Amino acid sequence: MQIFFATSNRGKISEAKEKLGPTGHEISPLIIDGMPPKFIEPQSEHLEEVAFAKLSQARQMVLGSEMEDCAILVEDSGIFIESLSGFPGVFSSFVEDKIGLSGILSILSEEENRSAEYRATCFLETKEGIFKSKGICSGEISRAISGELGFGYDPIFIPVEGDGRTFGQMSSEEKSQLSHRGMALKGLSEMLIRPSK
Ligand code: IMP
């Protein structure tokens, strides 16, 4: 199945290609008038609400185009830091742009509790209906920026189930075995191969 992923984040697109490609699905970025879609995100602290709003807006955007009947994938994700009561959460992208990873490390410089988790919620709409899948990856915020791979907070996030390296030090194959998005996309791919009743 051809799936259009409505995101401007190239890191997310390559992770989705890696996870869903081997299951026979072709992932392409959703491009409208030469641009990835720009969403108006609702004022919500919940990834699910934000992701669903993206899906509704993407559907509106493809009305009347050759992509109108195609499958559309959306995702919303963020990093939730325990000692900051879940901040930046749904604001992760904004906070990354404003203060960067060094800003986060300096906010946490005196903090012993480094626990954090990445969370992702995906919606995939196909002719069969709307599928939802979530993933969580527990970890810790490192003391220093390490690695240049991945994107976003990866160089300061050490997954609990890893070997002590940050996601920024892991190949995308290694990351997707452990990551929130890998888990959410795997869930979707399993729903797609399940025979419908
Ligand atoms: P969204 O595009 O509104 O869902 O923003 C997601 C933001 O959360 C990204 O821009 C990153 O700041 C952060 N984020 C989510 N998933 C990841 C990941 O896998 N690695 C690094 N940062 C991530």
Side-chain angles (χ1 to χ4, degrees):
M1 174 168 49
Q2 168 94 49
I3 299 174
F4 288 97
F5 191 175
T7 179
S8 55
N9 184 318
R10 288 187 193 175
K12 289 184 180 183
I13 290 181
S14 56
E15 289 181 17
K17 281 187 175 170
E18 243 163 61
K19 209 71 191 180
L20 296 179
T23 62
H25 302 295
E26 194 186 325
I27 307 294
S28 313
L30 179 68
I31 301 291
I32 297 162
D33 296 334
M35 302 276 288
K38 281 207 167 66
F39 295 114
I40 300 165
E41 294 199 5
Q43 298 257 318
S44 168
E45 287 174 23
H46 304 288
L47 294 178
E48 190 168 330
E49 276 175 34
V50 177
F52 196 77
K54 288 182 179 177
L55 180 63
S56 310
Q57 291 173 43
R59 268 284 155 233
Q60 285 294 320
M61 291 171 191
V62 298
L63 280 182
S65 77
E66 68 278 7
M67 290 171 291
E68 182 165 342
D69 295 322
C70 293
I72 292 188
L73 172 65
V74 295
E75 185 260 28
D76 203 65
S77 51
I79 190 163
F80 294 73
I81 299 175
E82 192 173 275
S83 64
L84 304 179
S85 308
F87 185 80
V90 291
F91 309 109
S92 296
S93 175
F94 177 79
V95 170
E96 185 197 335
D97 286 348
K98 292 293 170 204
I99 64 171
L101 304 186
S102 51
I104 292 286
L105 291 183
S106 58
I107 291 171
L108 296 179
S109 61
E110 305 291 320
E111 181 58 62
E112 287 305 315
N113 176 5
R114 316 290 298 178
S115 298
E117 59 187 32
Y118 273 137
R119 297 181 200 157
T121 299
C122 296
F123 282 104
L124 174 68
E125 187 171 7
T126 72
K127 286 187 186 123
E128 268 75 56
I130 297 177
F131 300 84
K132 178 180 80 180
S133 182
K134 296 181 179 192
I136 291 183
C137 175
S138 300
E140 288 194 346
I141 303 297
S142 60
R143 294 265 167 201
I145 295 173
S146 307
E148 287 161 3
L149 303 172
F151 67 94
Y153 296 80
D154 286 342
I156 60 166
F157 184 83
I158 303 172
V160 164
E161 292 186 18
D163 55 8
R165 285 176 298 157
T166 66
F167 270 158
Q169 294 171 300
M170 292 186 194
S171 67
S172 55
E173 291 83 8
E174 288 175 303
K175 178 184 170 186
S176 91
Q177 295 301 316
L178 306 174
S179 83
H180 51 314
R181 190 166 304 99
M183 192 184 294
L185 292 168
K186 183 162 179 271
L188 282 183
S189 69
E190 288 167 358
M191 289 174 203
L192 292 175
I193 52 179
R194 215 170 287 154
S196 48
K197 291 177 192 151

